[in-house]
């Protein structure tokens, strides 16, 4: 029987600021909480443990404000991460799917496992349910990501526990699943980006109600990624036909790229590419494609015009600097 593991993490970070963080470990987990749901979404088990920090041994003030935990309690009641994560994975069982509120917890869990040299048993790709995203899609376009306490209040769920502690937040996330008609939204699964596809045939294609998503394998350079045909192809989200580009891919900041295509049946289709760096220092692409109306199409054209204007301004600045230098010489 398949179960759902709904879990939440609390973590600490460098009290001296981001610049003093340990490389590849910006957040150190200090608490794991989880509830196990069966196929009927009934809670059948709970897991909760505090973890004694080994890296960031001074509490960041924001963490204290949110969780009301202090280092004294973690040292007294917490246990080493390696012991806790092994017990957590054993508690998860064999056949399960992770569920979280937001997209960060699985990535940070794996970062901590990597740091403490705990073998990563998760499949590639690691598919999971982002309940925050599904709840946002249920309420509209999915762009506005509500807080967990907002969702609980909106659904009329009894607030019998505090928020911002791992087990309690996992419990409330499970309750949201019970109240939001989860089976209707269960086809829309998410993918964690910590472990990426290694081969082209393993690249990921996901469908959501208002857009489609593509996650590429890793590339050595940005240029190699942008030269890949699958990365730059535009396909209609409805009829899946290859589309003619009305506005070719362009970028304002070398991290996000935009494109506009036209489907003869379904109209304007916008493409957006985000280029990100993997944990191994390579590059990968997240591409989203969605239908847009006339106003959405004009937004893309305006972005292109903004790019042209910035290019003209840079060119003018270079000419002025060169002219000034020649006059001095």
């Amino acid at each position: 029987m398949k179960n759902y593991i709904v879990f939440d993490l609390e973590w600490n970070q460098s009290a001296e600021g981001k610049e003093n963080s340990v490389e590849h470990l910006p957040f150190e987990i200090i608490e794991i909480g989880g509830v196990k749901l069966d196929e009927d979404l009934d809670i059948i088990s709970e897991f909760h443990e505090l973890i004694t920090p080994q890296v960031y041994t001074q509490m960041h003030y924001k963490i204290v404000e949110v969780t009301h935990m202090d280092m004294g309690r973690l040292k007294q009641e917490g246990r080493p991460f390696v012991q806790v994560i092994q017990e957590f994975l054993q508690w998860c069982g064999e056949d399960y799917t992770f569920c979280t509120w937001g997209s960060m917890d699985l990535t940070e869990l794996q970062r901590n496992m990597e740091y403490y040299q705990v073998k990563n048993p998760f499949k590639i790709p690691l598919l999971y349910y982002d309940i925050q995203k599904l709840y946002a899609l249920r309420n509209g376009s999915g762009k506005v990501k509500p807080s967990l306490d907002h969702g609980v209040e909106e659904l009329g769920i009894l607030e019998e526990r505090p928020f911002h502690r791992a087990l309690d937040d996992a419990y409330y996330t499970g309750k949201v699943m019970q109240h939001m008609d989860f089976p209707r939204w269960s086809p829309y699964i998410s993918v964690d980006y910590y472990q990426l596809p290694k081969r082209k045939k393993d690249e990921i294609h996901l469908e959501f109600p208002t857009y489609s998503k593509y996650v590429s394998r890793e590339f050595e350079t940005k240029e190699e990624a942008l030269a890949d045909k699958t990365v730059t192809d535009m396909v209609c989200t409805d009829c899946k036909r290859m589309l003619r580009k009305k506005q070719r891919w362009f970028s304002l900041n070398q991290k996000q790229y935009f494109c506009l295509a036209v489907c003869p049946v379904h109209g304007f289709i916008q493409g957006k590419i985000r280029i990100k760096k993997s944990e191994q220092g390579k590059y990968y692409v997240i591409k989203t494609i969605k239908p847009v109306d006339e106003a959405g199409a004009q937004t893309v054209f305006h972005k292109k015009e903004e790019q042209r204007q910035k290019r003209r301004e840079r060119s003018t600045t270079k000419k002025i600097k060169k002219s000034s230098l020649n006059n001095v010489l």
Side-chain angles (χ1 to χ4, degrees), residues 152-199:
V152 168
E153 180 181 1
E154 191 171 65
L155 290 171
I157 297 170
L158 179 63
E159 297 184 25
E160 54 190 334
R161 301 186 182 200
F163 288 92
H164 307 303
R165 289 297 302 272
L167 178 56
D168 299 320
D169 283 1
Y171 170 83
Y172 281 125
T173 302
K175 285 293 183 181
V176 170
M177 292 173 65
Q178 293 173 347
H179 284 73
M180 63 174 284
D181 190 15
F182 177 74
R184 176 185 173 186
W185 301 99
S186 60
Y188 307 118
I189 200 158
S190 294
V191 60
D192 179 73
Y193 303 136
Y194 188 81
Q195 297 187 87
L196 294 160
K198 303 302 180 186
R199 300 170 297 179

Side-chain angles (χ1 to χ4, degrees), residues 3-7 33-38 41-48 88 90-93 161 167 170-171:
N3 294 317
Y4 299 101
I5 301 298
V6 188
F7 80 97
V35 295
K36 184 181 294 185
L37 276 59
D38 63 17
L41 302 181
D42 293 323
I43 296 176
I44 58 175
S45 182
E46 292 187 353
F47 181 94
H48 178 249
F88 174 71
Q90 185 176 9
W91 172 78
C92 288
R161 301 186 182 200
L167 178 56
Y171 170 83

Side-chain angles (χ1 to χ4, degrees), residues 34-98:
V35 295
K36 184 181 294 185
L37 276 59
D38 63 17
E39 290 181 327
D40 297 321
L41 302 181
D42 293 323
I43 296 176
I44 58 175
S45 182
E46 292 187 353
F47 181 94
H48 178 249
E49 288 290 344
L50 296 178
I51 295 169
T52 305
Q54 302 296 318
V55 179
Y56 303 122
T57 55
Q58 180 181 348
M59 293 290 284
H60 192 285
Y61 74 94
K62 288 186 178 179
I63 306 301
V64 176
E65 288 178 0
V66 171
T67 66
H68 304 292
M69 284 193 289
D70 58 53
M71 191 58 65
R73 182 182 177 188
L74 292 175
K75 289 181 177 179
Q76 183 177 3
E77 301 180 21
R79 295 194 295 132
F81 174 82
V82 173
Q83 291 182 18
V84 172
I85 189 59
Q86 289 173 344
E87 291 180 11
F88 174 71
L89 294 174
Q90 185 176 9
W91 172 78
C92 288
E94 296 295 330
D95 190 10
Y96 62 88
T97 301
F98 281 126

